[in-house]
Amino acid sequence: MMPLLASVGLSKYYGARTGCIGVTFDLYPGEVLAIVGESGSGKTTLLRCLSGHLAATSGEVRYTMRDGRQAALGEMSEAERRLLMRTDWGFVHQDAREGLRMGVSGGANVGERLMAVGERHYGRIRAEALDWLDRVEIPADRIDDSPVAYSGGMRQRLQIARNLVTSPRLVFMDEPTGGLDVSVQARLLDLIRGLVRRLGLAAIVVTHDLAVARLLSTRMLVMQQGRVIEAGLTDQVLEDPQAPYTQLLVSSVLQV
Amino acid sequence: MYVAVKGGEQAIDAAHALLAERRRGDPQVPGITLAQIAEQLTLGVDRVMNEGSLYDRELAALAIKQARGDLIEAIFLIRATRTTLARFGYCEPLETSSMQVERRISAAFKDIPGGQILGSTFDYTHRLLDFTLAQDEVPVAARTAPTPATVEMPRVLELLGSEGLIERPSAADAEPQDLTQDPLNFPAARDLRLQNLARGDEGFLLALAYSTQRGYGRTHPFAGEIRIGSVEISFTPEELGFAIVIGEIDITECEMINQFKGSASVAPQFTRGYGLGFGQCERKTMSMALVDRSLRAAELGEERIAPAQDEEFVLSHSDNVQATGFVEHLKLPHYVDFQSELVMLRRMRDEMVGEKLKAAE
Amino acid sequence: MNAPAYNFAYLNEQTKRMIRRAILKAIAVPGYQVPFASREMPMPYGWGTGGVQVTASILTPGDTLKVIDQGADDTTNAVSIRKFFVKTAGVKTTEKTEAASIIQTRHRIPEAPLNEEQILVFQVPIPEPLRFLEPRETETRKMHALEEYGVMHVKLYEDIAQYGQIATTYAYPAKVADRYVFDPSPIPKFDNPKLDHCPALQLFGAGREKRIYAIPPYTKVKSLDFEDYPFEVQTWDKPCTICGSRDSFLDEIVIDDQGGRMFVCSDTDYCTKQQACP
């Protein structure tokens, strides 16, 4: 089976400064990969290169399109890339405001992607939006409120609904629970885990929080100073870390 | 029986006749002459030339008279005149180092080769109304230092440049574009940005410059040099094939020294901002230089968070002729669109009342 | 000092050629906004300089010009623009729609149907239909190039969610030749159907924003809507008080301070004709 996404020797330099170096991995449909590291490890740079937001300095990212064709991200036209980001991919930002239109209602936020691909029936769009709000546990009577009036957790759930409405096959997540209260985080993680499983999504989740990685992902990359220093099944890496840095990370997680 | 109102044409003619009367004012009062405006309201004339983008003191004075002292209206008149003039080419770049300097100061150094020359300035005057000016004044002849035949007046920024302390001005390989011939597209290159700022509204640029000093995109400016004086215009006619001097104009040039910048491989240097204008326009050129520097934020890798750093915002709204046209166009009839809004609003309100009544039943 | 001599219709020939090139590009790509180097004109930006530059560039001595604003020939700005062309081009002018070869208009399309020999020139304040959803020109350019118009329907969706209907009543966006979404200028939506398959050439000039666009004759123009909330025009429950027309756009005239109102055709030439032969 062909991987859904393949990263081959991906590197990004900012002048003399290193973003990430030589990252290579395959991601298969339905797999969730966590990229873990502290601030400055290069994980955000890597995510942005993988999702086409940043041009890599060297290496390649290959994505298998719905028609089976493998395309190199760097060779796509801007039109193709933008279309991909709106249909087959999702991107959940740490700050929901970056991933939402704060000036329009929750319903419009969810419906936008549908309208962007040609859905022209108001009733159907609204029904679909209501369905998705239900799935992400946002009360139906909030559909016409602007996300400005939503709580942080609710905004994040709205962002997820907005991304999933076109049934993407791959979702990128940048610290999806960052900045939220612990109880809100737990609920959100449960939701994400459920949705990912039920929809068979592949996902790449960047996080500094090992608990998030443990809960969501099947495989994990550990980054330090731009390099991947350990990779493997999440459970294995967390139970039996090999690299000294990983051991340090694992041992410093507070045991509650 | 309602009869549709006609007579718009006569109303306009009558309005213009009244305008002419008001412009002249009390016939007992002597009419103002162009020479008086040019000689005694010089700084107003300079502003009209700058923002009108046309160097002609007499025309600017005429525009101010016709506009009854409304400088933006005068600027509009000059711009409209400018369009009709034949363009026969571009002059050679002005050699401001060879300026016949009347005023030249630097805040960056206590003294500089050529000296600090105050020239004529409002600086250090006490802003107290001088009631003697109510009568015609006969000022005492000013004392000026004797000007030696040749004075070496190297540019302050050149002095820093020779030590490598300030970035070199970018040597543009491409021909500069002409803002008045080509539409402005974003992102805009520096040549078009500077042209846009040169004719931009002084008040707008002043406010933006002020905002940068108050923290909206600080650039740590020092006034490296401000020069005011006359420069020669050289032009190369096709028939001759060599440059000839066709006249001279008075200009103000301001060079700001700004926040230094370096990287891991390049040693830090000061950066620059530039302002240039016709006549004596320090406020304008200083503001222009500050905004020029702010607009270079992207090029210098600075985070763009302030209005003065937002290229589209600054350059789209700097032209006061465009701005006043659009703001004042609200006076034009808009009743058809307003009618459409009225119809819809009434309908929405009726529907709401209808719904409330239904709910109450 | 000498007063300068003006060329026919004010603009010099070089400028007219530049504008005509932009017009040709616009006709070749219906609904696409062509940038052009708008000139400073003797009337303010926002008062019709775009329309005036387009008209000046296509005007010939044999043309007959009609200028209207809000549908009427006698409104102050229409008078002013008509006088401008009489002064600088000496062309024949008319108030009769059928007698005109070029009609410059602000905010209305004439009620009388146009023919293939005529050109309609619209004055446009803001050419960009996406402008109020996305203020940056760099972004809207991309959106047009990539046909990313989802955000326009978001606005319509919001209207229905909030008000139960689409709340745009003028400058109503439409899709041209199934490709570009455009702003037809602040004509009431009542006039949008006239844009579709019009036999006349329709040109749009925005002087301050420096854009020209065009709808060639017999081009498809479809106003944006939803299948279940289709586009509809305004209606009045009374006819024109003067001529009795039930098919035209009516202006509301305030008669007294007791709420007295009457409704009269906005298109003055149409109203006059209706009175003559109802």
Side-chain angles (χ1 to χ4, degrees):
Chain A
M1 182 174 37
M2 268 221 292
L4 184 63
L5 185 87
S7 170
V8 184
L10 198 63
S11 303
K12 175 69 183 172
Y13 295 94
Y14 299 100
R17 205 163 43 86
T18 318
C20 60
I21 308 176
V23 179
T24 299
F25 67 86
D26 288 333
L27 183 76
Y28 287 87
E31 270 202 297
V32 180
L33 177 75
I35 303 176
V36 161
E38 298 174 307
S39 344
S41 58
K43 57 189 196 299
T44 305
T45 301
L46 176 59
L47 189 74
R48 298 186 70 211
C49 286
L50 291 170
S51 59
H53 283 98
L54 203 59
T57 312
S58 61
E60 208 176 54
V61 178
R62 293 193 211 118
Y63 181 72
T64 305
M65 313 290 268
R66 280 192 203 252
D67 59 13
R69 188 173 43 99
Q70 242 206 353
L73 200 60
E75 280 160 34
M76 276 186 207
S77 66
E78 189 172 359
E80 285 178 286
R81 234 193 341 263
R82 279 166 81 118
L83 183 61
L84 198 60
M85 303 233 219
R86 271 206 317 272
T87 51
D88 218 26
W89 281 5
F91 198 111
V92 177
H93 297 258
Q94 179 174 359
D95 183 353
R97 276 173 301 204
E98 284 182 47
L100 292 173
R101 274 194 201 278
M102 298 304 284
V104 299
S105 67
N109 265 284
V110 177
E112 180 171 353
R113 278 199 178 191
L114 295 172
M115 292 184 254
V117 294
E119 177 56 75
R120 291 285 176 266
H121 191 279
Y122 175 83
R124 279 202 296 268
I125 295 166
R126 195 171 173 83
E128 186 96 20
L130 278 167
D131 179 45
W132 273 101
L133 289 183
D134 182 54
R135 290 204 231 190
V136 298
E137 298 168 27
I138 293 178
D141 62 4
R142 304 302 303 270
I143 185 174
D144 293 326
D145 291 343
S146 142
V148 171
Y150 285 17
S151 67
M154 217 186 267
R155 274 185 211 167
Q156 203 53 307
R157 281 180 274 139
L158 182 67
Q159 207 198 156
I160 289 167
R162 178 176 159 86
N163 272 283
L164 296 185
V165 74
T166 44
S167 309
R169 291 185 300 150
L170 171 60
V171 182
F172 299 92
M173 302 196 207
D174 185 9
E175 306 275 10
T177 55
L180 298 172
D181 295 337
V182 174
S183 59
V184 175
Q185 277 192 42
R187 202 173 146 200
L188 186 62
L189 285 171
D190 259 344
L191 180 75
I192 294 175
R193 191 169 63 159
L195 282 171
V196 165
R197 292 232 176 106
R198 236 173 295 136
L199 300 171
L201 294 176
I204 298 179
V205 183
V206 154
T207 182
H208 67 277
D209 188 340
L210 292 180
V212 171
R214 180 192 279 279
L215 200 67
L216 290 184
S217 67
T218 40
R219 280 199 301 131
M220 202 161 100
L221 302 176
V222 181
M223 290 189 74
Q224 186 194 19
Q225 290 176 348
R227 292 193 148 76
V228 176
I229 54 134
E230 187 154 0
L233 295 175
T234 302
D235 290 335
Q236 275 179 6
V237 174
L238 290 178
E239 294 305 317
D240 187 19
Q242 296 298 305
Y245 177 68
T246 320
Q247 290 168 352
L248 184 63
L249 276 183
V250 172
S251 65
S252 44
V253 172
L254 295 172
Q255 303 302 323
V256 179
Chain B
M1 157 76 182
Y2 175 78
V3 178
V5 173
K6 293 235 164 239
E9 188 150 352
Q10 288 138 292
I12 292 183
D13 288 339
H16 293 168
L18 185 60
L19 171 66
E21 255 185 54
R22 291 269 191 279
R23 175 190 300 133
R24 183 54 186 80
D26 184 353
Q28 310 291 352
V29 175
I32 193 167
T33 67
L34 300 192
Q36 284 171 332
I37 298 174
E39 282 301 305
Q40 295 165 38
L41 300 180
T42 322
L43 299 181
V45 169
D46 288 348
R47 181 174 169 197
V48 170
M49 291 197 301
N50 258 312
E51 294 171 29
S53 294
L54 188 67
Y55 193 96
D56 188 318
R57 288 222 150 84
E58 207 182 14
L59 281 181
L62 174 61
I64 292 174
K65 178 170 176 177
Q66 184 172 336
R68 303 176 64 194
D70 180 339
L71 291 188
I72 294 182
E73 178 67 33
I75 288 162
F76 185 6
L77 288 167
I78 293 297
R79 289 272 192 92
T81 304
R82 187 187 194 282
T83 317
T84 63
L85 300 174
R87 303 283 301 268
F88 53 83
Y90 299 96
C91 66
E92 302 300 319
L94 299 181
E95 199 45 76
T96 56
S97 344
S98 320
M99 183 190 285
Q100 277 283 96
V101 162
E102 194 188 274
R103 174 164 158 75
R104 186 261 201 149
I105 52 170
S106 169
F109 293 97
K110 179 163 180 175
D111 207 353
I112 33 180
Q116 306 260 18
I117 305 173
L118 291 183
S120 106
T121 173
F122 287 115
D123 292 351
Y124 317 116
T125 61
H126 301 145
R127 266 66 170 190
L128 304 166
L129 279 179
D130 182 355
F131 290 93
T132 67
L133 292 176
Q135 260 62 246
D136 196 8
E137 54 174 337
V138 184
V140 177
R143 277 175 323 150
T144 53
T147 336
T150 46
V151 177
E152 269 303 297
M153 243 183 238
R155 316 251 305 251
V156 172
L157 267 66
E158 284 303 302
L159 298 174
L160 290 174
S162 60
E163 269 188 83
L165 293 170
I166 191 163
E167 54 173 356
R168 296 245 128 238
S170 51
D173 311 312
E175 271 291 293
Q177 286 182 273
D178 185 337
L179 185 68
T180 64
Q181 300 294 311
D182 309 306
L184 183 67
N185 279 320
F186 300 107
R190 192 162 177 221
D191 55 350
L192 286 178
R193 294 203 303 254
L194 286 170
Q195 288 173 38
N196 178 298
L197 296 180
R199 52 168 36 191
D201 183 77
E202 182 176 306
F204 181 65
L205 292 188
L206 177 65
L208 287 172
Y210 180 43
S211 75
T212 68
Q213 292 178 286
R214 294 193 70 257
Y216 290 84
R218 280 183 88 184
T219 57
H220 294 101
F222 288 90
E225 184 161 4
I226 299 174
R227 297 189 164 215
I228 303 179
S230 61
V231 286
E232 292 180 337
I233 308 261
S234 292
F235 178 76
T236 306
E238 241 181 274
E239 306 87 336
L240 290 182
F242 55 85
I244 51 168
V245 173
I246 57 171
E248 48 177 47
I249 59 170
D250 300 325
I251 60 164
T252 302
E253 184 189 51
C254 171
E255 296 201 280
M256 287 284 181
I257 301 169
N258 297 88
Q259 175 64 51
F260 56 82
K261 170 169 182 53
S263 66
S265 44
V266 179
Q269 293 180 306
F270 289 114
T271 53
R272 341 161 58 111
Y274 189 77
L276 186 71
F278 293 141
Q280 182 164 3
C281 54
E282 289 166 48
R283 183 184 308 119
K284 172 63 183 285
T285 51
M286 291 173 77
S287 302
M288 181 175 163
L290 288 176
V291 176
D292 170 46
R293 173 59 179 79
S294 288
L295 289 177
R296 295 179 61 212
E299 173 201 332
L300 295 169
E302 291 165 351
E303 209 197 338
R304 295 197 298 172
I305 40 154
Q309 298 169 312
D310 186 338
E311 177 183 87
E312 254 190 75
F313 180 77
V314 172
L315 302 182
S316 301
H317 304 117
S318 61
D319 187 320
N320 53 30
V321 175
Q322 284 184 36
T324 195
F326 202 43
V327 167
E328 292 193 68
H329 107 287
L330 294 174
K331 294 182 281 189
L332 287 180
H334 281 79
Y335 54 79
V336 164
D337 292 339
F338 188 63
Q339 174 62 203
S340 308
E341 297 281 88
L342 273 177
V343 168
M344 186 191 66
L345 197 68
R346 283 177 178 144
R347 187 170 137 186
M348 281 182 187
R349 290 171 62 89
D350 286 343
E351 280 172 12
M352 224 174 155
V353 167
E355 270 163 40
K356 281 213 181 101
L357 287 175
K358 256 202 303 199
E361 279 161 17
Chain C
M1 329 170 73
N2 301 312
Y6 297 112
N7 194 28
F8 175 81
Y10 186 76
L11 295 175
N12 62 41
E13 290 305 311
Q14 216 177 351
T15 303
K16 288 190 205 172
R17 265 197 293 275
M18 180 270 296
I19 294 175
R20 284 197 291 262
R21 275 197 294 270
I23 294 174
L24 287 174
K25 277 192 200 148
I27 294 171
V29 190
Y32 168 72
Q33 301 165 50
V34 179
F36 79 108
S38 179
R39 294 286 184 257
E40 321 264 15
M41 300 294 283
M43 63 280 298
Y45 286 109
W47 296 51
T49 56
V52 168
Q53 286 179 84
V54 168
T55 300
S57 306
I58 60 175
L59 203 61
T60 65
D63 275 307
T64 304
L65 178 68
K66 174 176 162 83
V67 183
I68 48 172
D69 183 347
Q70 315 293 296
D73 305 80
D74 200 39
T75 39
T76 43
N77 209 37
V79 168
S80 169
I81 292 176
R82 196 167 50 243
K83 273 174 95 164
F84 172 77
F85 281 115
V86 167
K87 191 163 62 169
T88 59
V91 281
K92 273 208 346 265
T93 64
T94 180
E95 292 192 8
K96 297 187 174 29
T97 307
E98 333 75 72
S101 57
I102 298 179
I103 301 167
Q104 180 167 330
T105 177
R106 177 169 172 269
H107 294 193
R108 284 273 0 248
I109 297 182
E111 305 288 355
L114 303 173
N115 64 54
E116 290 174 8
E117 308 299 313
Q118 297 175 304
I119 302 178
L120 188 56
V121 178
F122 293 79
Q123 296 175 207
V124 181
I126 306 266
E128 179 51 72
L130 301 165
R131 181 58 67 228
F132 300 107
L133 298 162
E134 174 50 70
R136 284 164 307 156
E137 164 71 16
T138 41
E139 186 56 24
T140 51
R141 244 187 1 233
K142 264 189 210 153
M143 290 163 83
H144 281 292
L146 303 176
E147 222 173 325
E148 283 180 18
Y149 291 128
V151 74
M152 293 243 58
H153 276 90
V154 167
K155 198 262 171 198
L156 300 181
Y157 169 97
E158 278 296 84
D159 281 353
I160 299 172
Q162 268 233 8
Y163 304 114
Q165 59 195 272
I166 295 174
T168 305
T169 59
Y170 58 90
Y172 194 105
K175 203 158 211 210
V176 181
D178 291 317
R179 177 54 180 88
Y180 283 94
V181 168
F182 92 125
D183 182 323
S185 84
I187 54 177
K189 62 176 181 170
F190 181 86
D191 284 341
N192 271 36
K194 302 187 181 84
L195 298 162
D196 182 41
H197 283 90
C198 176
L201 171 64
Q202 300 175 88
L203 300 178
F204 297 78
R208 192 183 44 84
E209 297 278 340
K210 306 177 182 27
R211 297 283 185 274
I212 285 175
Y213 44 103
I215 314 255
Y218 301 111
T219 302
K220 176 179 177 189
V221 178
K222 184 162 187 326
S223 302
L224 300 187
D225 60 8
F226 286 105
E227 286 164 24
D228 48 343
Y229 284 83
F231 171 80
E232 42 177 49
V233 296
Q234 294 111 324
T235 52
W236 288 258
D237 49 19
K238 292 184 172 58
C240 168
T241 310
I242 299 184
C243 75
S245 161
R246 290 189 176 275
D247 305 314
S248 51
F249 189 95
L250 302 181
D251 293 335
E252 183 170 325
I253 318 272
V254 180
I255 313 183
D256 55 44
D257 60 2
Q258 263 110 60
R261 299 269 193 278
M262 65 187 272
F263 290 85
V264 171
C265 286
S266 130
D267 185 332
T268 49
D269 176 51
Y270 179 80
C271 197
T272 312
K273 270 211 302 290
Q274 290 296 107
Q275 287 175 69
C277 26

